Structures are given as structure tokens and as C-alpha cells.
Amino acid sequence: MFEQTKWVKAKAKLQWVSDQLESGPDVEYKPLESIRGFLMYVAQAYPPMIPYLRGFHGTLDSWRPNRTKDGF
Amino acid sequence: MTVHLNAELSELRVERSGPKRRKVIGSTEEADEYDPSSQLDPKFGIDVEDVDADRVFPSPENFSGTGSSSVQQPPRRVTFTSRMKDDLEALFHLTRDASPPKRRVRSLRVVRATYGFGDAPGDGFGAAILLADGKIYYRHGVWNSLISNEHSSNYRELRNLVESLEKAAEAGLLTNTEVRLFSDNTTAEAAYFHGSSKSRQLEASAFGSQARHHHPGYSCVWKKNDSGQRGWCVPW
């Protein structure tokens, strides 16, 4: 079973990203990268979350050349 | 350089053409007399010093290989992509419970894997699932005018598959069961597999199926192809 503390932590991290999304069009790279890694860990226990991490992947790689508006 | 391998004599010959020296080494007797100071590998019969003679190694001061200086560093801030908001909503929905939901990884009870078929040609739809007890669950009907006129055939295909599984699951027929559901519609299958689609209607339906099956046990969707056998399995 997934730990309660980590479950709460995941929800808090999602809330942080949501606050950043509401406050402006951009976000700091390093914290978002850390959150993506943690959510990938959570998604190991809950595979239905996997498709919805694409927004994180696209955002973190949006600075690379030859990317679309979705970051891919 | 030419290499001759004689299996019967267990001898490896290394010959260098040109003005350089010629060596025949590698026999068992020579291996016993191996001198480490000669920089000669008795196992492979390669003169390390001789092989590296033609190479040019840059000095540490002039070295400019694939070091960190050639790797592009990310910026301090990055811009959110257009789908980030939708993905966050989906993740909020999947993590809406106060405590982490339990998921069944390995069932204690063993049941026969079940399979079914679904199709939605024209204005109708239907699906049949062979259950573990040998009975057949089936569901069929005709779309109402709202769905048949305003939604695509791909949407109707996916909705038929999702609702058929949901109805069977709500009736308690799929508990502790692994389901392989076949479809001839690759778009509907891809929408489920990827969890999203360029079509908003398909995406919503796919997410609904993902979210509703976040808690129960374990089911599968298989894509049917022309050869009939290959496919992949999606854990729910």
C-alpha cells in the first residue's frame, strides 16, 4: 500500500504546480523537475496517472529547439 | 591487419602488413611464458602498445570532447504547455481521496481470464463478454439521435467499450477478473491507451474510463489486429 505521507505530499506538490499555473505562464525549472520525478514514483503504484504526466514532460522540455506548443 | 584463427591448433595469428614487425603468438606454450612487462596480451595475441601506436590522443589542455561545456543547460524558468491545465485537473481527480486507495496487484483468487468483443457500426452498438463461469454478458442497442448525429464513430466505438465494461463491473461480474476486450477501432484503443486524444470528446471518455477504474482490481484491453494474436495489455 502506498504511504499516507507520500500521498499527502503528492497532493501538496500538485497544488503547488496549480498555484504556479494560476499565477503566471511560467514556472521554475528545478522544482517542477523534482515534482515530476516524485509523481512518476507515485504513478508506479497508480498507472492511470501516467498519461497525465505528459504536461510535465512537455513543459520541462519546452525550451529545447524544434518543439511544438505542447513541448514535444 | 589480417587475423587467422586455426581451431585445430588453438592458435591465433596476428599479422601486420607493411614495414612493421610481424608476430605469431597466442599458443598455450607462449601463454605460459607470458611476460607482463612486454605489454602483450597472451589471451588475444594483441600487442597493446602496437595497436595504439597510430592513435593520436589530445593533451588534457587541448581536450574538448563531449564535456559539460557542450551540453545545453535548461533555463531557470520554463513556460507551461497548453495541456498542463487539463493534466493537472486529471491528476487532482485521480488523487482526490484523502488516503491512498488500495490497488490489487496480485489476486489471491485465481479465475479464468475473460474476453469480449465490442463494435458500434452505424447507428447501433453491441458488446459481449464471456465470463469466468461460462455465461455470456451481452449488451446491445441503438444510439439515440443526439449521439449518432453529433458524435464521431470513434467516440461511439470507445463509449460502447467503456460502458460495456462499466455495466458488467457494476453488476459485479468482473471482480477479480482479467478482461481482454477486442475492438476493430484503433482510434478508440489508442485514446484509452494514451489517456488522451486530439478529440476532446474521446479524451473525456478515455479519462472517465481511467478514473473510474482507478480503484478496482485489474483489467486489460487488448487491441485486435489483422493477424488476430498480437496486442498489448493495459493495467487499470
Side-chain angles (χ1 to χ4, degrees):
Chain A
M1 180 172 174
F2 204 73
E3 288 184 25
Q4 175 73 32
T5 54
K6 292 179 179 176
W7 184 254
V8 174
K9 186 177 175 182
K11 297 172 75 167
K13 287 178 179 293
L14 284 174
Q15 187 60 51
W16 183 87
V17 178
S18 179
D19 294 340
Q20 295 293 313
L21 184 62
E22 291 180 1
S23 62
D26 57 356
V27 62
E28 281 196 52
Y29 181 89
K30 279 296 177 183
L32 190 68
E33 188 182 36
S34 172
I35 291 173
R36 174 180 68 171
F38 185 78
L39 292 178
M40 288 170 67
Y41 162 71
V42 177
Q44 286 182 328
Y46 300 101
M49 294 173 63
I50 291 175
Y52 308 106
L53 297 179
R54 291 205 183 103
F56 288 83
H57 302 319
T59 299
L60 287 167
D61 285 330
S62 60
W63 59 277
R64 298 184 189 279
N66 302 320
R67 299 278 173 155
T68 65
K69 62 178 182 179
D70 286 332
F72 292 100
Chain B
M1 176 185 291
T2 57
V3 179
H4 304 285
L5 178 62
N6 190 329
E8 292 182 355
L9 299 177
S10 300
E11 184 178 79
L12 181 67
R13 295 170 180 266
V14 180
E15 301 176 3
R16 291 194 73 104
S17 58
K20 294 186 178 179
R21 57 184 170 168
R22 177 186 176 190
K23 293 180 181 178
V24 179
I25 55 173
S27 64
T28 306
E29 292 76 12
E30 289 185 6
D32 295 336
E33 299 172 358
Y34 170 61
D35 180 12
S37 62
S38 66
Q39 295 184 333
L40 205 65
D41 189 334
K43 185 177 180 181
F44 302 105
I46 298 175
D47 187 340
V48 178
E49 185 181 26
D50 201 23
V51 168
D52 290 341
D54 298 334
R55 295 187 181 179
V56 178
F57 293 99
S59 63
E61 294 79 13
N62 299 327
F63 183 74
S64 60
T66 57
S68 59
S69 59
S70 62
V71 177
Q72 203 172 0
Q73 296 297 321
R76 187 171 160 272
R77 297 183 73 86
V78 288
T79 306
F80 283 115
T81 56
S82 57
R83 62 170 293 164
M84 192 65 176
K85 186 177 180 181
D86 295 335
D87 284 349
L88 274 178
E89 287 181 6
L91 290 171
F92 273 125
H93 187 78
L94 292 173
T95 57
R96 65 190 182 279
D97 295 330
S99 57
K102 290 184 178 180
R103 290 194 71 249
R104 184 175 293 108
V105 179
R106 285 179 292 275
S107 177
L108 294 177
R109 291 198 297 169
V110 178
V111 298
R112 187 173 59 188
T114 64
Y115 66 93
F117 301 88
D119 198 9
D123 292 334
F125 65 89
I129 301 174
L130 179 61
L131 303 175
D133 58 1
K135 296 180 180 177
I136 295 177
Y137 168 81
Y138 66 93
R139 177 175 172 270
H140 62 89
V142 179
W143 298 114
N144 60 34
S145 58
L146 181 66
I147 295 178
S148 60
N149 293 335
E150 297 186 6
H151 294 286
S152 66
S153 60
N154 291 329
Y155 172 81
R156 295 198 297 267
E157 289 273 0
L158 180 60
R159 180 166 177 166
N160 175 44
L161 298 175
V162 171
E163 288 188 351
S164 298
L165 273 178
E166 286 178 350
K167 297 293 183 185
E170 288 173 4
L173 302 175
L174 301 181
T175 305
N176 293 326
T177 303
E178 183 174 305
V179 182
R180 290 172 170 83
L181 191 63
F182 293 82
S183 170
D184 62 351
N185 188 281
T186 56
T187 304
E189 190 274 339
Y192 176 80
F193 184 74
H194 295 301
S196 62
S197 173
K198 291 179 181 178
S199 167
R200 297 289 298 175
Q201 295 171 345
L202 273 178
E203 184 167 315
S205 184
F207 170 68
S209 65
Q210 295 267 10
R212 278 189 285 272
H213 293 84
H214 190 48
H215 294 266
Y218 187 84
S219 299
C220 285
V221 169
W222 270 42
K223 171 186 173 297
K224 177 190 177 186
N225 60 6
D226 294 334
S227 60
Q229 293 297 323
R230 291 178 54 198
W232 52 81
C233 185
V234 183
W236 281 4

